[in-house]
Amino acid sequence: MTITQLHYVLAVAEYQNFTLAAEKCFVTQPTLSMQIQKLEEELDIKIFDRNKKPIQLTEVGKRIVEQAKSIVNEADRIKDIVDQQKGFIGGDFRIGIIPTIMPTLLPMFLKNFIKKYPKVNLIVEEHTTEEIINRLQKGQLDAAIAATPLSEPDLKEVVLYYEPFVGYFPMEYRNDLKELTPDDLNINDILLLQDGHCFTNGILNICKASKLQPSQGFELTSGSFETLIRLANEGLGVTLLPYLHTLSLNESDKKNIIAFKDPKPSREVSLIYAKSELKVQIIDALRATILGVVKGAIAFQDVAIISPKVTK
């Protein structure tokens, strides 16, 4: 039994396809299949039921995969220990970012990071907060960026910044408003992202509403701020945006932005990782890079933090 064989088993278990698993492991499909077959012969069991499509784990295969995850993670940690001791900043680093942060934050820091740390292979994945928690706990992510606090006992949260919410109010909804308060918000006029986004949950918290009761004559399922802005521009309602998202708006759309009075409703954005994570040198490098680009963009100090609700 080898670590390589266990890597192949985990790949097939994840992708449920030998060809795709081989591509992800950068080997030929016959090589991967042969190594898994050798392992099955050594153990005298079948890990996969190849008669099912997609390929499924056998009952004993499920138990083997769970143990293999632990063995592979612990083996990978040996190299992490050596890298940490040498102060080496490099190697693969898998980071998850929630959809309402990815489009604005990633372009701000990615170029600077890969230029400063060329030996790090940063693998960026977009996931919901719930999926990020799950993947961090399973060791499938090294770190993540999401709205916090999450209050997960096995995860560490390092605050990066506090990002205020702002109102996006076209002229027909402004009513001479210069600054917003939560009392100025009518939940039935607000265009929201689809259920499950912690940003949407934060807005519902601001409005003290458990769910949206639409009165616009339609119901919207969208994961895009751009869609919300375009609908608001058509006179179909108002929306709230994260402050950093407004920096890339055109000058015409920026005229529809209204800030909140202090303390501004805001979300706490943090770098999250397992307390057992060893790649702290890369985590520290990420944090320093992100702080370097964000601190000049967000100058708000008096904020009121809106905690996300994560449904599990």
Side-chain angles (χ1 to χ4, degrees), residues 21 68 86 118 132 189 238 253:
K86 293 180 177 179
I132 276 174
D189 289 336
V238 302
D253 287 344

Side-chain angles (χ1 to χ4, degrees), residues 38-51:
K38 281 185 177 181
L39 179 60
E40 289 178 322
E41 290 172 354
E42 178 184 342
L43 298 175
D44 194 26
I45 51 91
K46 289 294 182 183
I47 299 174
F48 298 102
D49 184 344
R50 294 164 175 79
N51 294 321

Side-chain angles (χ1 to χ4, degrees), residues 92-97 102 106 109-110 121-127 132 136 140-145 160 270-272 283 286 290:
D92 289 346
F93 192 85
R94 196 176 297 272
I95 184 167
I97 308 178
M102 170 91 86
L106 186 62
F109 79 83
L110 183 58
N121 178 33
L122 199 62
I123 304 164
V124 185
E125 304 176 6
E126 183 175 276
H127 296 294
I132 276 174
L136 284 172
Q140 296 172 344
L141 288 175
D142 294 302
I145 299 173
L160 293 170
S270 298
L271 194 56
I272 309 157
I283 291 171
L286 265 173
I290 293 171

Side-chain angles (χ1 to χ4, degrees), residues 30 32 34 36 44 125 150 161 181 184 201 216 218 224 239 248 257 269 292:
L32 180 138
M34 180 184 66
I36 291 178
D44 194 26
E125 304 176 6
L150 301 178
Y161 56 89
T181 70
D184 295 319
N201 294 332
Q216 305 102 322
F218 65 92
S224 166
T239 193
S248 60
I257 297 298
V269 176

Side-chain angles (χ1 to χ4, degrees), residues 99-257:
T100 60
I101 291 176
M102 170 91 86
T104 51
L105 183 62
L106 186 62
M108 293 178 71
F109 79 83
L110 183 58
K111 185 176 180 179
N112 286 352
F113 183 83
I114 60 179
K115 182 178 180 180
K116 190 171 183 179
Y117 303 101
K119 294 182 179 180
V120 176
N121 178 33
L122 199 62
I123 304 164
V124 185
E125 304 176 6
E126 183 175 276
H127 296 294
T128 64
T129 303
E130 182 179 1
E131 184 64 18
I132 276 174
I133 293 172
N134 181 47
R135 287 176 176 264
L136 284 172
Q137 291 173 335
K138 289 183 177 180
Q140 296 172 344
L141 288 175
D142 294 302
I145 299 173
T148 52
L150 301 178
S151 302
E152 293 290 331
D154 53 344
L155 299 181
K156 185 170 182 178
E157 302 170 7
V158 178
V159 176
L160 293 170
Y161 56 89
Y162 297 98
E163 182 176 24
F165 296 81
V166 298
Y168 189 86
F169 279 58
M171 290 304 299
E172 57 264 44
Y173 286 92
R174 294 179 76 93
N175 297 322
D176 296 324
L177 286 171
K178 302 300 182 184
E179 286 186 302
L180 285 177
T181 70
D183 292 337
D184 295 319
L185 303 176
N186 182 344
I187 188 61
N188 295 317
D189 289 336
I190 298 179
L191 301 165
L192 295 175
L193 299 176
Q194 64 196 61
D195 287 345
H197 283 275
C198 58
F199 190 84
T200 295
N201 294 332
I203 292 174
L204 293 174
N205 285 346
I206 295 172
C207 299
K208 298 180 173 60
S210 59
K211 61 181 179 178
L212 180 64
Q213 299 292 340
S215 63
Q216 305 102 322
F218 65 92
E219 293 189 29
L220 174 68
T221 300
S222 174
S224 166
F225 286 124
E226 282 69 27
T227 299
L228 302 185
I229 290 170
R230 288 173 184 171
L231 290 174
N233 287 343
E234 290 296 321
L236 293 172
V238 302
T239 193
L240 298 187
L241 302 171
Y243 174 75
L244 289 180
H245 190 86
T246 68
L247 300 181
S248 60
L249 295 181
N250 61 49
E251 292 305 313
S252 177
D253 287 344
K254 284 182 179 180
K255 294 177 182 178
N256 293 329
I257 297 298

